[in-house]
Amino acid sequence: MSTLTDTARGTAPAPASGGAIGQSVRDSLVIARRNLIRMSRIPEMVIFGLIQPVMFVVLFTYVFGGSMSIGGSTDPDVYKNFLMAGIFAQTVTFATAGAGAGIADDMHKGLIDRFRSLPMARGAVLTGRTLADLVQTSLTLLVLAVVALLVGWRPGYAEPTNAGKIAAAFGLLLLLGYAFTWIGALIGLSVRTPEAATSGGLIWLFPVTFISNAFVDSSQMASWLQPIAEWNPFSATVQACRTLFGDPGVSPSDAWPMAHPVWASIIYSIVIIAIFRTLAVRKYRSATA
């Protein structure tokens, strides 16, 4: 009788095996699969997600490439190779808006309430959604890397690199993208409509991505703006990727994130995940109570 009462109240019964962590993993994978199937049935979601970053690569490369000075050089090839790490990082972080809009849409349609009535781990809905977004981001990043190679990006252009370092750079990009999707999840749970989630997800991203070393060398910024750019978590990942890719424009700096960009990128991403996952799960419980 007690078990029936608990289930009726929406409380998940104890899992048969694997414990609470095992159940949470299984539930998260089920939700991730559901979102991936949904994406495959709406291919325009993936297509439009690919078009924007490709446009950024082409526009920045051919419109601004000849007017930017990197390390005293205005050679378009230098800027092209300097730029790509920033474009990659911008692409994975802009997926935040889509994550927030998707969760807001599920909230608006009442789907989250239906999930909450099922005997499943509380954080599984959000974890599954962010994992599905990570898969989509990986696909986008793969296509973008191919386009970058076609327009002339060459890893190892300034410093020698290898396949392991290149793979590590893409791993840092995906880790940053996953961390930022939790910010998007919190925004999606905090607004009433998908449109508001999209707008809210982009407003804060523009200053984060542009007040950074993604598109210009931060040493060329105003003196009061330079420390902000150098301590920006986004800048740390861009700097780490340039170092691992062997791209030009890795300027020396006394700021710790710029002097140790790989470690800074990992630490920033883990801290963002820890903070915003906690806040998002808490918001999920209160928003659907």
Side-chain angles (χ1 to χ4, degrees):
M1 182 67 179
S2 175
T3 302
L4 293 175
T5 302
D6 289 342
T7 303
R9 290 175 180 173
T11 302
S17 63
I21 295 178
Q23 182 189 18
S24 180
V25 171
R26 289 192 297 271
D27 293 344
S28 297
L29 293 177
V30 169
I31 297 298
R33 181 173 179 271
R34 172 257 173 189
N35 282 284
L36 290 173
I37 292 174
R38 180 172 179 266
M39 290 176 187
S40 67
R41 292 176 178 174
I42 312 177
E44 55 267 29
M45 292 176 59
V46 179
I47 294 172
F48 290 149
L50 292 173
I51 291 175
Q52 181 179 347
V54 170
M55 287 177 59
F56 273 118
V57 169
V58 175
L59 290 174
F60 273 88
T61 298
Y62 294 108
V63 175
F64 300 108
S67 59
M68 295 290 187
S69 175
I70 303 299
S73 173
T74 56
D75 185 345
D77 286 338
V78 174
Y79 183 69
K80 188 183 301 179
N81 285 274
F82 168 87
L83 172 70
M84 289 309 164
I87 292 290
F88 291 153
Q90 183 192 52
T91 299
V92 300
T93 54
F94 269 43
T96 299
I103 291 175
D105 186 51
D106 287 344
M107 289 278 293
H108 184 68
K109 293 178 179 178
L111 187 62
I112 297 295
D113 289 332
R114 292 180 60 186
F115 283 142
R116 186 175 180 272
S117 68
L118 299 175
M120 62 190 305
R122 285 289 182 258
V125 173
L126 301 180
T127 301
R129 174 74 207 197
T130 55
L131 288 175
D133 289 329
L134 182 62
V135 173
Q136 183 178 3
T137 301
S138 301
L139 175 62
T140 303
L141 200 56
L142 175 62
V143 173
L144 190 59
V146 173
V147 173
L149 291 171
L150 291 176
V151 300
W153 173 59
R154 295 294 180 265
Y157 182 87
E159 297 290 340
T161 187
N162 55 55
K165 290 182 178 180
I166 294 172
F170 282 112
L172 291 178
L173 288 167
L174 292 175
L175 181 61
L176 179 71
Y178 183 69
F180 273 44
T181 55
W182 280 106
I183 302 178
L186 180 61
I187 293 173
L189 292 167
S190 303
V191 298
R192 297 183 179 181
T193 64
E195 294 78 9
T198 301
S199 299
L202 291 175
I203 288 174
W204 65 273
L205 275 175
F206 278 103
V208 167
T209 54
F210 281 93
I211 306 177
S212 72
N213 59 2
F215 308 110
V216 297
D217 192 335
S218 58
S219 64
Q220 300 176 4
M221 295 181 178
S223 58
W224 63 270
L225 196 59
Q226 184 174 340
I228 298 175
E230 291 178 338
W231 285 87
N232 183 347
F234 183 82
S235 292
T237 297
V238 173
Q239 188 84 339
C241 289
R242 287 197 180 115
T243 301
L244 295 170
F245 285 145
D247 288 342
V250 183
S251 302
S253 172
D254 293 333
W256 188 84
M258 297 297 98
H260 306 86
V262 174
W263 282 110
S265 176
I266 294 172
I267 293 171
Y268 273 136
S269 295
I270 291 175
V271 169
I272 291 172
I273 293 172
I275 293 174
F276 284 93
R277 187 185 189 282
T278 301
L279 294 175
V281 172
R282 185 177 300 174
K283 183 67 176 179
Y284 168 80
R285 289 173 175 170
S286 63
T288 59

